């Protein structure tokens, strides 16, 4: 765990130095808006899938003739 903390500290220090020196060219990082949209899409898909699973489990005997 300590090794990961050291690596994170070095990466953050390096990035902070780039920002302070004005080296803020586009690095192709994903924006927070994109992350929010993806999280909402996955959560919606899981909610729909869960709802379908609950309905099928509840009415399985009624649907067995279909």
């Amino acid at each position: 765990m300590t090794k990961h903390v050291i690596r994170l500290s070095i990466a953050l220090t390096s990035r902070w130095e780039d920002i302070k020196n004005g080296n803020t060219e586009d690095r192709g990082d994903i924006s927070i808006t994109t992350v929010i949209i993806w999280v909402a899409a996955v959560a919606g898909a899981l909610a729909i899938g869960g709802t379908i699973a609950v309905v099928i489990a509840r009415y399985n005997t009624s649907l067995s003739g279909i």
Side-chain angles (χ1 to χ4, degrees):
M1 171 105 174
T2 304
K3 181 176 21 173
H4 296 296
V5 172
I6 293 171
R7 285 183 181 176
L8 178 63
S9 174
I10 292 169
L12 289 175
T13 303
S14 173
R15 180 66 181 142
W16 181 250
E17 290 296 324
D18 286 345
I19 291 171
K20 282 182 11 185
N21 293 333
N23 300 333
T24 57
E25 70 275 351
D26 185 18
R27 301 182 321 149
D29 290 341
I30 191 166
S31 70
I32 191 68
T33 307
T34 305
V35 172
I36 292 170
I37 290 169
W38 273 102
V39 168
V42 170
L46 289 174
I48 291 169
T51 302
I52 291 171
V54 167
V55 168
I56 289 175
R58 182 172 176 147
Y59 297 106
N60 194 21
T61 56
S62 302
L63 298 173
S64 60
I66 296 177

